[in-house]
Amino acid sequence: MAAARAGGGAVLLRRLQGGGGGGGAFSGARAYSRDAEGSWFRSLFVHKVDPRKDAHSNLLSKKETSNLYKIQFHNVKPECLDAYNSLTEEVLPKLHSDADYPCDLVGNWNTWYGEQDQAVHLWRFSGGYPALMDCMNKLKQNKEYLDFRKERSRMLLSRRNQLLLEFSFWNEPLPRKGPNIYELRTYKLKPGTMIEWGNNWARAIKYRQENQEAVGGFFSQIGELYVVHHLWAYKDLQSREETRNAAWRKRGWDENVYYTVPLIRTMESRIMIPLKISPLQ
């Protein structure tokens, strides 16, 4: 009898642990046992999350200004690029100079190396989202601008935009005399890494200031997220090469690259030529 009881106990134990044989009520016991064990096992690898008291945008952006930026990418039909540039140079400066519109042109370019037949426009809205909405509402009543958009649409293959904030540790993008070429380096980061990116670049930006090549640094708020844009100015491609090589000879620059490269999903470089109307020449 003792042996029988022992054998029965072993069978029951195997059933409760999910072993072979049996069904009905014991199948629920097996499932519960596996779920409980799996939950306990997974809990060993759960990372604790430190509570944050502020949004990433407030931690990284300039506190002393409430500027909002919009970057536009227009892919133009190849045969229409000259006409597109002429139309743009006729209409956009009027918005820039009209005090009734709370927006300023920061820079206007054609892509030279990178995606071809492309125009890039960077706007600043002084006053943040209220300024953006004020400008948009006024443009809806501006017949000249509406006609411009209609004519422009015939020249475009596609267009997209993003709303950006500027990093607190970067230079304010101010008008600059030329001639210069500009490099727009775009980094698409892994979600959740923006703070780490900002912490590293806040230390590293000092290595890229000697030739005044650092124009502006921005991160996306609306549109594709976790996107960073760094804007640089150089006299020419040879100057770009020499300036970038000089950074590698400074102790600390290699450390920034080492810690930030793993945060990147993809990266892109555009070499751009300013349009005649661009405040950044």
Side-chain angles (χ1 to χ4, degrees), residues 264-275:
I264 300 170
R265 293 187 291 116
T266 64
M267 57 190 295
E268 181 179 5
S269 170
R270 290 176 176 85
I271 302 297
M272 308 185 301
I273 305 297
L275 298 183

Side-chain angles (χ1 to χ4, degrees), residues 14-248:
R14 285 198 302 272
R15 288 176 175 175
L16 290 174
Q17 290 176 336
F26 291 118
S27 64
R30 289 199 305 273
Y32 174 81
S33 176
R34 287 194 298 270
D35 290 346
E37 182 178 347
S39 297
W40 172 83
F41 185 74
R42 286 192 299 271
S43 70
L44 297 178
F45 298 94
V46 173
H47 297 285
K48 293 183 179 180
V49 177
D50 295 328
R52 294 196 180 277
K53 297 182 179 179
D54 213 344
H56 287 181
S57 58
N58 292 332
L59 294 171
L60 292 168
S61 61
K62 283 184 169 67
K63 300 293 189 298
E64 64 273 17
T65 66
S66 56
N67 292 333
L68 180 70
Y69 291 81
K70 179 170 73 171
I71 191 167
Q72 299 173 299
F73 300 94
H74 291 170
N75 292 320
V76 185
K77 296 176 182 177
E79 67 274 15
C80 296
L81 186 59
D82 289 340
Y84 171 92
N85 288 340
S86 296
L87 183 65
T88 296
E89 291 168 348
E90 178 185 349
V91 176
L92 295 191
K94 297 177 182 179
L95 299 179
H96 175 75
S97 60
D98 191 334
D100 198 36
Y101 289 86
C103 62
D104 301 301
L105 287 175
V106 177
N108 311 81
W109 303 271
N110 285 151
T111 299
W112 182 22
Y113 285 99
E115 195 161 356
Q116 297 294 280
D117 304 306
Q118 184 180 71
V120 180
H121 305 286
L122 183 62
W123 294 86
R124 180 193 297 114
F125 296 88
S126 301
Y129 291 106
L132 171 70
M133 296 308 299
D134 181 31
C135 191
M136 289 179 60
N137 289 331
K138 288 175 179 176
L139 287 175
K140 292 177 182 177
Q141 310 302 320
N142 185 326
K143 185 179 184 305
E144 183 181 12
Y145 183 76
L146 295 177
D147 291 342
F148 158 73
R149 281 176 56 96
K150 186 176 181 180
E151 185 174 354
R152 185 188 67 183
S153 67
R154 302 189 184 101
M155 305 177 183
L156 298 181
L157 294 170
S158 65
R159 59 193 179 99
R160 62 185 174 90
N161 58 24
Q162 293 172 332
L163 293 180
L164 314 171
L165 295 178
E166 55 186 330
F167 284 111
S168 60
F169 47 85
W170 269 78
N171 299 336
E172 187 80 17
L174 299 175
R176 173 180 302 227
K177 293 182 179 180
N180 295 293
I181 63 171
Y182 288 82
E183 181 175 17
L184 183 66
R185 294 181 71 88
T186 299
Y187 304 89
K188 297 180 181 180
L189 305 184
K190 298 174 183 177
T193 61
M194 189 66 74
I195 292 292
E196 189 176 353
W197 178 275
N199 287 340
N200 279 285
W201 268 96
R203 295 188 293 269
I205 192 65
K206 62 185 178 183
Y207 302 115
R208 298 296 308 274
Q209 298 280 18
E210 288 184 4
N211 293 332
Q212 298 183 333
E213 69 267 26
V215 177
F218 313 91
F219 59 99
S220 62
Q221 282 289 283
I222 296 179
E224 188 172 4
L225 299 178
Y226 284 96
V227 176
V228 170
H229 299 288
H230 290 176
L231 185 61
W232 310 91
Y234 305 102
K235 291 301 179 184
D236 49 38
L237 289 175
Q238 182 61 34
S239 173
R240 171 187 179 272
E241 179 77 2
E242 294 169 357
T243 300
R244 288 175 55 81
N245 287 340
W248 284 101

